[in-house]
Amino acid sequence: FFEAIFRKHEPCTIIHIGYSSKPSQSYSNAKKIQAQFEHLVIIDSQNISGGIAAVLVYAAELVKREPQMDVAQLVQQIEALRAKVKALYIAKGTDFLLASGRIENREELEQIPKNSWPILETIEGRATYSTYKKNGPIHQILATALEQFIKQFNLSREVIYLVYSLGLSERVRQDTTHYLVSQEFKTIVWLQAGSMTSTHFGPGGFGLAGIEA
């Protein structure tokens, strides 16, 4: 993979921003081959799903805005951003989360009603169970969770990333978009969840990631 990029764009430096090292081995696997390439930098995003998107887009825009920036300075700025990315994830029930085996405080998650809506946050690179909402309509669950999350963190209004797995209705996505527009978010990006997020949060799962102002 890296060899093909180097051959096509030589001379260049590759900055690989990987999935959080806490729940996954992808970062450590990339680190194992780093020594084979002189101009390969591996960064732990300390995020998952929409949180990675926030880090990646920030890095790409930084390069586009300042193409002559020194690599070391670029890496420093990317790493400084990681802690400012705040992410929230909501699953319908606990079955998929418990089966994944990657939740930090699994014991607490096991204690909540199975038909409730568990809410997780990314804390220090780990998907950590935070709280839950009692069973009810997803649009009400999302509205309450979004309002509380936005109040808790002073998120930049420039851009917000929303992730959904198949099963979350178009109506819910539209209502969520309208709410975020009312909160003066300028750019709202919807992303369909990939295999990792879908198999952890199950059908109808939802995620949000933003950057602290």
Side-chain angles (χ1 to χ4, degrees):
F1 174 74
F2 293 123
E3 287 179 346
I5 297 175
F6 278 123
R7 283 197 302 268
K8 185 175 181 179
H9 299 283
E10 192 175 11
C12 72
T13 296
I14 296 175
I15 298 177
H16 174 77
I17 302 173
Y19 199 91
S20 174
S21 62
K22 301 300 190 300
S24 171
Q25 292 296 314
S26 60
Y27 171 77
S28 60
N29 289 336
K31 288 290 289 185
K32 289 176 183 177
I33 66 168
Q34 185 176 19
Q36 300 176 25
F37 302 97
E38 182 179 357
H39 299 291
L40 174 62
V41 180
I42 308 293
I43 295 178
D44 180 355
S45 72
Q46 297 180 1
N47 277 277
I48 64 173
S49 192
I52 298 177
V55 177
L56 287 172
V57 173
Y58 172 85
E61 290 179 344
L62 192 57
V63 171
K64 184 177 180 180
R65 189 168 62 247
E66 302 184 46
Q68 303 305 317
M69 181 181 291
D70 178 79
V71 171
Q73 185 180 1
L74 177 60
V75 170
Q76 184 180 28
Q77 292 201 33
I78 295 171
E79 291 181 337
L81 175 81
R82 298 177 301 188
K84 296 178 68 177
V85 175
K86 303 301 176 184
L88 169 84
Y89 300 95
I90 303 176
K92 185 177 182 180
T94 61
D95 289 346
F96 281 82
L97 290 171
L98 291 173
S100 73
R102 297 182 187 227
I103 305 306
E104 183 64 17
N105 44 351
R106 178 188 176 93
E107 295 79 9
E108 295 179 38
L109 185 63
E110 290 174 335
Q111 303 304 313
I112 73 172
K114 284 194 171 183
N115 64 344
S116 60
W117 297 83
I119 299 176
L120 295 90
E121 297 180 33
T122 305
I123 300 175
E124 296 181 350
R126 295 178 172 89
T128 304
Y129 166 68
S130 173
T131 184
Y132 75 93
K133 301 295 182 184
K134 294 180 179 179
N135 194 26
I138 179 59
H139 66 275
Q140 292 181 7
I141 303 293
L142 271 181
T144 302
L146 284 173
E147 182 179 6
Q148 292 174 346
F149 189 76
I150 291 171
K151 285 182 178 179
Q152 181 181 359
F153 300 105
N154 180 27
L155 297 182
S156 167
R157 264 37 181 189
E158 289 299 318
V159 61
I160 193 163
Y161 299 90
L162 307 176
V163 181
Y164 72 98
S165 56
L166 293 177
L168 189 69
S169 73
E170 179 66 26
R171 172 65 184 275
V172 170
R173 282 181 274 162
Q174 290 176 353
D175 289 347
T176 303
T177 298
H178 291 156
Y179 172 73
L180 292 171
V181 168
S182 75
Q183 297 299 305
E184 300 183 344
F185 283 93
K186 298 177 182 177
T187 302
I188 300 166
V189 180
W190 279 98
L191 304 167
Q192 184 177 322
S195 57
M196 176 71 81
T197 302
S198 295
T199 54
H200 281 61
F201 293 94
F206 171 83
L208 172 153
I211 300 173
E212 281 190 305

